[in-house]
Amino acid sequence: MNDPWKNARRPSSRPPRATPLPPREGGTPPPPGRGNDELRLYGWNAVQALFERRPQALRKLYLAEALIPRLQPLLKWCVANRVGYRVVEEGDLNKLAATTHHEGVVADVLRAPMLELGEWLAGLPADKPALALWLDGVGNPHNFGAILRSAAHFGVAGLLLPPDSTLALSGAAARVAEGGAEAVPLVRLPALPQAMEALRAGGFGLAATLVEGGADLFKATLPARLVYVMGAEGEGMDRALAQTCDLQVSIPGSGAVESLNVASATAVLLSHWYAQR
């Protein structure tokens, strides 16, 4: 493997070198694993969205030489703020991202802080429409990324996670989200009764999303402030939780397949609420 830390040739389009990253033994890039407060992003849209919304979270940047002209604003920011970056070979980017789907750029960044429910509710504009997703058991990172992308597209105000949820943003989810991960905050819920009480006090209705047995989504009138409660990929919606919600809805279809997967269903549900606003 070419040594990613040796880069004697400097194309004229490259800005002055930023604060150097220390070489590792054998010249290999650092492993993909990060601490709990850091995340390894990859993919053009994921990294660009981070730069546009939270540039101060950037810690290290790795890029292919071909992206130097396109990443000039980011590289100049790195120089001005003494954030280390390196131009590396394709194989090194594959190892850094642990995938070939990096689109020539990898970044180590600080995670966005997860909000508490009360903090999130207090930050919402009062008496205005708002939509949120309660993810009850969603775990697949690609589904999570697709949900984030749809949520950003339809202006979802937050993704609500149960207190025992292990779901967290990963590099894979952020890449699939195509920048949406920076647009939608993650919110940690308290215990179920307290969470529902606080949401209802904030003017939200809760809609359980069922594969079957709920009211026809396309005939339902949805409240202006709404939380869709989404079930797990395999097991679906927890029935006990569904019964505690204010309404239960299902997406009608041809019956040729049993149901949509959770990411596809989310896009349909969000679009219906959005159309009614």
Side-chain angles (χ1 to χ4, degrees), residues 8-43:
R9 185 169 64 87
R10 183 180 300 164
S12 59
S13 62
R14 185 175 305 160
R17 180 169 295 178
T19 306
L21 299 180
R24 295 174 65 87
E25 184 178 351
T28 57
R34 303 286 89 199
N36 289 335
D37 62 338
E38 286 195 14
L39 171 67
R40 178 154 287 171
L41 290 182
Y42 52 87

Side-chain angles (χ1 to χ4, degrees), residues 25-254:
E25 184 178 351
T28 57
R34 303 286 89 199
N36 289 335
D37 62 338
E38 286 195 14
L39 171 67
R40 178 154 287 171
L41 290 182
Y42 52 87
W44 168 261
N45 285 329
V47 173
Q48 188 64 21
L50 182 284
F51 176 52
E52 291 173 355
R53 290 176 177 265
R54 296 190 301 127
Q56 72 283 357
L58 183 63
R59 289 297 174 264
K60 299 172 187 175
L61 181 71
Y62 309 86
L63 67 150
E65 186 170 327
L67 284 189
I68 291 173
R70 194 178 181 191
L71 284 173
Q72 282 291 307
L74 176 51
L75 296 180
K76 289 177 180 178
W77 188 91
C78 287
V79 172
N81 292 275
R82 301 184 63 79
V83 172
Y85 71 86
R86 282 289 183 273
V87 177
V88 299
E89 301 294 331
E90 182 80 7
D92 300 325
L93 288 169
N94 294 344
K95 291 188 176 183
L96 284 159
T99 178
T100 59
H101 301 296
H102 48 68
E103 300 175 295
V105 61
V106 178
D108 290 338
V109 305
L110 291 178
R111 291 183 180 275
M114 186 173 288
L115 303 178
E116 297 298 324
L117 180 59
E119 178 187 8
W120 175 75
L121 286 168
L124 294 176
D127 301 323
K128 289 190 176 181
L131 180 61
L133 287 171
W134 179 324
L135 302 184
D136 179 46
V138 176
N140 181 286
H142 290 89
N143 280 338
F144 187 33
I147 288 170
L148 280 165
R149 184 173 184 175
S150 294
H153 180 78
F154 289 110
V156 167
L159 263 61
L160 315 182
L161 303 179
D164 58 349
S165 173
T166 59
L167 189 62
L169 186 65
S170 65
R175 185 190 69 80
V176 173
E178 295 287 358
E182 290 297 324
V184 186
L186 301 184
V187 181
R188 180 68 68 189
L189 294 171
L192 178 62
Q194 290 83 0
M196 287 192 160
E197 180 181 359
L199 288 166
R200 286 172 175 141
F204 283 89
L206 285 84
T209 57
L210 305 177
V211 171
E212 59 183 12
D216 185 331
L217 172 70
F218 302 128
K219 296 178 181 178
T221 300
L222 302 173
R225 290 169 79 88
L226 176 66
V227 177
Y228 278 125
V229 185
M230 309 298 300
E233 287 97 341
E235 299 80 13
M237 181 79 203
D238 179 87
R239 291 288 169 161
L241 176 57
Q243 292 305 312
T244 64
C245 292
D246 303 304
L247 65 157
Q248 298 79 33
V249 296
S250 298
I251 301 172
S254 67

